[in-house]
């Protein structure tokens, strides 16, 4: 699919003109998340400056669901006593609320999914004041297998698309603007058809883990998907692990930088009520966020080897990120040739992690990238 046809199919809900930013409960709280955790997160996002830096969505992942009532309406479980009042609270802080479900009968954690209740569930979400839905394939895979035990990939894909489109239509029918986030781990080249079923974002890979290997494998494997992203419809290489403890600061700076270069959704996944200053300085680096949120909405591409990524920005500037993705080599000086990133003549160079103007340079810039880390620059004429 070319750029033109992807744009023609882009969803028309007018949402996510830049990659969604916010927080999701899964990476830290997993199946234990409660109403109180979500309220504390909203409070923290206001107090620590995340909201003002652009993080807006407070997303509850799996395990909020209860049983259905006699009329088939989805209910919350005892850890979420009143979803409407939680949404009101989150809204009162100038934030938005996200929720989670599955097109299958069960979610990945075995809670109630939306299968056969799509319109009813969408109506409940709208009534509660939900602004974002992550719709996770999970047990719908069993539905696909039951329908076609031979598992013809074409049949499976058609069923999957239909299931995602069904919820899209149900969301539209509510009349409430709800960002639609597909989670089916990238199967069936979802980037080619996500926009046609109303997706504002779609996961491109399996679940991220709080390990450098997992993050780097996912992040660096996004090369080539850039032509499928744009305003309103984004590739989603999964949530941020920054602050969860499994990587060092350089490695977390790599995730933040790479996700920004990829115009990826920036969905924090740590406990925001207990954030150290280093974590804060990574998640709230406004210069890096500005690269992610640039209005052109062009996903960066790799011009390496090694890992040099370039992202065109408004006004003819470019963001350039140079990663030292090998963690056991000595960090050695690297030289960036300006002609390799499309600049001739003098250019302004600013270091977005040092928060420092390097000055006006010609031809090249030499620097050392820490192991597992990154140097991220903004370059303009
Ligand atoms: C899947 C998704 C994760 C998370 C869990 C919840 O694994 O990919 O992001 O939502 O389900 O059960």
């Amino acid at each position: 699919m070319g750029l033109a046809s992807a744009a023609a199919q882009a969803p028309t809900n007018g949402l996510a003109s830049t990659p969604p930013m916010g927080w999701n409960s899964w990476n830290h709280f997993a199946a234990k998340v409660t109403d109180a955790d979500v309220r504390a997160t909203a409070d923290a996002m206001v107090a620590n400056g995340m909201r003002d830096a652009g993080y807006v969505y407070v997303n509850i992942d799996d395990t909020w669901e209860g049983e259905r009532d006699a009329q088939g309406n989805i209910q919350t479980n005892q850890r979420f006593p009143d979803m409407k009042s939680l949404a009101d609270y989150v809204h009162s802080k100038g934030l938005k609320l996200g929720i989670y479900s599955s097109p299958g009968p069960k979610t990945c954690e075995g809670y109630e999914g939306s299968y056969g209740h799509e319109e009813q569930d969408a109506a409940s979400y709208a009534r509660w004041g939900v602004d974002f839905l992550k719709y996770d394939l999970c047990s719908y895979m069993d539905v696909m297998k039951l329908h076609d035990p031979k598992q013809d990939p074409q049949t499976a894909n058609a069923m999957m698309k239909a299931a995602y489109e069904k919820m899209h239509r149900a969301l539209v029918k509510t009349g409430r603007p709800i960002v639609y986030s597909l989670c089916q781990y990238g199967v069936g080249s979802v980037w080619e058809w996500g926009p046609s079923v109303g997706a504002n974002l779609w996961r491109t890979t399996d679940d991220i883990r709080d390990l450098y290997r997992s993050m780097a494998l996912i992040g660096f494997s996004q090369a080539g998907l850039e032509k499928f992203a744009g305003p309103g419809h984004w590739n989603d290489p999964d949530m941020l692990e920054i602050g969860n403890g499994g990587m060092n600061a350089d490695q977390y700076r790599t995730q933040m930088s790479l996700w920004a270069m990829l115009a990826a959704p920036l969905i924090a996944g740590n406990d925001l009520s207990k954030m150290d200053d280093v974590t804060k300085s990574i998640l709230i680096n406004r210069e890096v966020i500005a690269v992610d949120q640039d209005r052109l909405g062009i996903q960066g591409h790799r011009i390496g080897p090694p890992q040099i990524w370039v992202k065109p920005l408004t006004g003819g500037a470019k963001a350039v990120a140079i990663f030292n993705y090998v963690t056991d080599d000595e960090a050695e000086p690297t030289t960036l040739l300006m002609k390799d990133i499309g600049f001739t003549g003098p250019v302004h160079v600013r270091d977005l992690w040092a928060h420092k103007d390097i000055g006006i340079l010609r031809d090249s810039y030499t620097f050392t990238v820490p192991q597992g880390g990154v140097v991220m620059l903004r370059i303009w004429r």
Side-chain angles (χ1 to χ4, degrees), residues 26-28 207-211 214-215 238-247 252 255-256 259 267-270 279 283:
W26 187 251
N27 284 353
H28 177 79
D207 293 13
I208 197 165
R209 296 174 62 205
D210 184 22
L211 295 171
S214 164
M215 182 277 291
D238 208 358
M239 301 171 288
L240 301 175
E241 290 284 9
I242 296 159
N244 278 332
M247 294 180 237
Y252 283 140
Q255 186 177 25
M256 188 71 188
W259 265 233
I267 308 290
N270 56 320
T279 303
L283 282 174

Side-chain angles (χ1 to χ4, degrees), residues 21-26 28-29 33 37-38 41 45 50 55-60 239 266-272:
M21 290 177 66
W23 172 89
N24 172 295
S25 58
W26 187 251
H28 177 79
F29 291 96
V33 64
D37 296 329
V38 177
T41 298
M45 284 166 81
M50 282 179 77
Y55 292 87
V56 167
Y57 292 96
V58 182
N59 294 347
I60 308 167
M239 301 171 288
L266 297 178
I267 308 290
N270 56 320
D271 182 353
L272 301 185

Side-chain angles (χ1 to χ4, degrees), residues 26 61-62 100 108-109 134 136 183 185 203 207 239:
W26 187 251
D61 207 274
D62 201 355
Y100 167 102
C108 291
E109 283 291 304
K134 173 174 169 182
D136 191 348
C183 175
Y185 338 114
R203 278 270 297 277
D207 293 13
M239 301 171 288

Side-chain angles (χ1 to χ4, degrees), residues 174-195:
T174 68
R176 186 175 173 87
I178 299 179
V179 172
Y180 191 32
S181 164
L182 269 50
C183 175
Q184 45 78 283
Y185 338 114
V187 295
S189 303
V190 60
W191 38 87
E192 289 176 356
W193 52 267

